[in-house]
């Protein structure tokens, strides 16, 4: 993720936004049906950090998902395209560089939430983003960093009472992810990621102490912004990833 200073704001974008792929993807995947968007590649809209991904055969058209048509408050930003007040970014200490790749935007958003800052999804803003152009959809690099960093993000930022409330679901997700990646031939990087997350626990606990000590809101301010049907959403996302990875072989 790159950042550009513009007065009192920082504009963050992923390099994949700068250059569109030269040719359309063989089969189209999008949040749009009914009417095909203009230009090469594909579009994906995000409502904060909640992704609603739908697999659409090439013969189908596109229609914008109802979830993306209204501006509203969401949990956090997508690091590919976002604008954040520079003072807030500096107060947060910027991105956590230990993450390196994947989930650093969620971590930044979570820490901002804990300080009481809201996040607004702007429906009129249109961004063309070739998703996972750097990491790849299903690659050892993507699986390792994604699965390691989600553990760091979760345990670093989540208030204790919310940890207890969400831990059963987190364990269910971890087990389901292990099965998913085993089927995809990516069990080794998945297990290596979890081991690395555990190995980084001492440093993580020091960060957690700092985050929890300085937060200005509690679990009751975070809970309403979490996705209630997260398991179904993640299942659609993983199916999307596998389908797209298969088409690109």
């Amino acid at each position: 993720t790159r950042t550009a200073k513009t007065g009192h704001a920082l504009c963050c974008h992923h390099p994949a936004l700068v250059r569109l792929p030269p040719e359309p993807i063989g089969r189209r995947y999008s949040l749009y049906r009914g009417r095909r968007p203009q230009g090469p590649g594909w579009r994906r809209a995000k409502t904060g950090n909640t992704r609603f991904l739908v697999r659409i055969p090439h013969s189908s058209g596109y229609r914008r998902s109802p979830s993306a048509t209204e501006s509203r408050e969401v949990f956090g930003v997508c690091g590919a395209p976002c604008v954040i007040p520079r003072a807030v970014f500096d107060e947060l200490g910027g991105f956590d560089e230990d993450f390196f790749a994947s989930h650093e935007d969620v971590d930044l958003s979570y820490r901002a939430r804990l300080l009481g800052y809201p996040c607004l999804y702007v429906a009129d803003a249109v961004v063309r983003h070739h998703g996972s152009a750097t990491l790849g959809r299903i690659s050892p690099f993507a699986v390792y960093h994604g699965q390691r960093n989600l553990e760091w993000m979760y345990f670093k930022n989540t208030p204790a009472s919310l940890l207890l409330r969400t831990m059963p679901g987190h364990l269910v997700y971890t087990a389901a992810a292990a099965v998913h990646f085993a089927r995809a031939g990516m069990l080794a990087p998945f297990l290596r990621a979890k081991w690395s997350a555990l190995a980084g626990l001492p440093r993580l606990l020091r960060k957690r102490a700092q985050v929890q000590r300085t937060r200005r809101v509690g679990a009751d301010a975070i809970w309403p912004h979490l996705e209630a049907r997260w398991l179904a959403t993640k299942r659609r996302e993983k199916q999307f990833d596998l389908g797209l990875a298969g088409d690109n072989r």
Side-chain angles (χ1 to χ4, degrees):
T1 300
R2 298 174 179 172
T3 58
K5 295 182 179 180
T6 58
H8 297 293
L10 285 175
C11 300
C12 301
H13 69 88
H14 190 277
L17 291 176
V18 178
R19 185 176 180 181
L20 289 173
E23 296 180 359
I25 293 175
R27 299 178 72 182
R28 302 281 182 167
Y29 300 83
S30 181
L31 289 173
Y32 296 79
R33 298 179 183 174
R35 187 168 184 177
R36 179 172 169 175
Q38 299 299 314
W42 52 284
R43 282 198 259 182
R44 182 174 67 180
K46 289 185 181 180
T47 56
N49 290 115
T50 301
R51 305 177 182 183
F52 296 90
L53 304 175
V54 183
R55 179 173 176 172
I56 307 298
H58 179 64
S59 59
S60 296
Y62 297 78
R63 176 179 56 79
R64 192 171 187 181
S65 168
S67 64
T69 58
E70 296 181 359
S71 297
R72 65 187 186 282
E73 187 177 353
V74 293
F75 177 81
V77 302
C78 167
C82 69
V83 177
I84 181 172
R86 193 160 113 189
V88 175
F89 189 82
D90 291 341
E91 182 181 3
L92 294 170
F95 292 108
D96 187 333
E97 295 185 2
D98 287 344
F99 281 51
F100 179 63
S102 184
H103 288 77
E104 72 278 6
D105 50 356
V106 188
D107 172 71
L108 185 77
S109 298
Y110 209 152
R111 288 185 283 126
R113 276 279 168 197
L114 290 172
L115 292 182
Y117 293 112
C119 178
L120 179 65
Y121 165 70
V122 181
D124 292 339
V126 178
V127 175
R128 289 175 178 263
H129 176 214
H130 187 82
S132 299
T134 301
L135 301 182
R137 280 284 165 192
I138 302 291
S139 69
F141 186 90
V143 172
Y144 172 77
H145 285 88
Q147 291 298 311
R148 182 197 66 177
N149 292 354
L150 75 84
E151 300 293 354
W152 285 353
M153 178 275 301
Y154 176 64
F155 286 104
K156 169 185 170 183
N157 298 303
T158 307
S161 62
L162 196 55
L163 271 177
L164 294 175
R165 188 173 184 179
T166 59
M167 184 60 68
H170 185 76
L171 294 176
V172 168
Y173 166 77
T174 302
V179 173
H180 167 78
F181 288 117
R183 291 176 175 175
M186 292 288 169
L187 184 60
F190 173 84
L191 295 176
R192 187 162 56 91
K194 300 307 181 185
W195 177 255
S196 294
L198 185 62
L201 188 59
R203 181 176 175 84
L204 178 71
L205 290 177
R206 291 193 294 271
K207 291 183 179 182
R208 174 180 171 80
Q210 172 68 18
V211 169
Q212 301 305 317
R213 183 172 59 253
T214 57
R215 64 181 172 88
R216 296 195 282 260
V217 302
D220 57 341
I222 303 298
W223 177 257
H225 299 287
L226 301 184
E227 173 60 52
R229 301 180 61 187
W230 61 269
L231 189 58
T233 302
K234 292 300 294 184
R235 182 182 179 186
R236 291 196 299 273
E237 181 179 333
K238 296 307 180 185
Q239 289 174 339
F240 171 88
D241 289 344
L242 287 175
L244 186 58
D247 279 356
N248 288 336
R249 288 174 186 165

